[in-house]
Amino acid sequence: MKIAIMVGSLTHGGAERVASLWAKGFNEKGYVVNLILNNNGQPITYDVPHNVKILNLCSKKKSGLMGWIRYI
């Protein structure tokens, strides 16, 4: 089974920490996990397993809600 988790970034914050823990937990259970971010190139400060794919929706040129809408 494939699971996609969407979160703004993985820099700091409660929702970001929960997303990283979910990704780790689902990965340990054998699921294919994708983390979808809108982090504009910010560093990832939470541990993410190496086989969890990280997809960044927006580049530095696109940011915020309008960047997501343009990308989609």
Side-chain angles (χ1 to χ4, degrees):
M1 177 180 278
K2 295 181 182 180
I3 296 177
I5 301 170
M6 183 179 264
V7 66
S9 69
L10 286 176
T11 306
H12 297 291
E16 291 83 353
R17 177 168 167 75
V18 170
S20 69
L21 292 173
W22 279 358
K24 182 179 179 183
F26 287 130
N27 182 60
E28 288 173 354
K29 294 191 179 285
Y31 294 101
V32 175
V33 181
N34 293 317
L35 279 171
I36 303 170
L37 308 177
N38 180 26
N39 69 354
N40 290 328
Q42 297 172 352
I44 295 173
T45 58
Y46 291 108
D47 292 331
V48 178
H50 69 278
N51 55 344
V52 171
K53 187 171 182 181
I54 298 175
L55 305 167
N56 190 6
L57 286 182
C58 297
S59 67
K60 291 183 180 183
K61 295 179 184 176
K62 301 176 188 174
S63 62
L65 177 63
M66 291 308 295
W68 284 54
I69 292 170
R70 282 187 207 112
Y71 181 83
I72 293 170

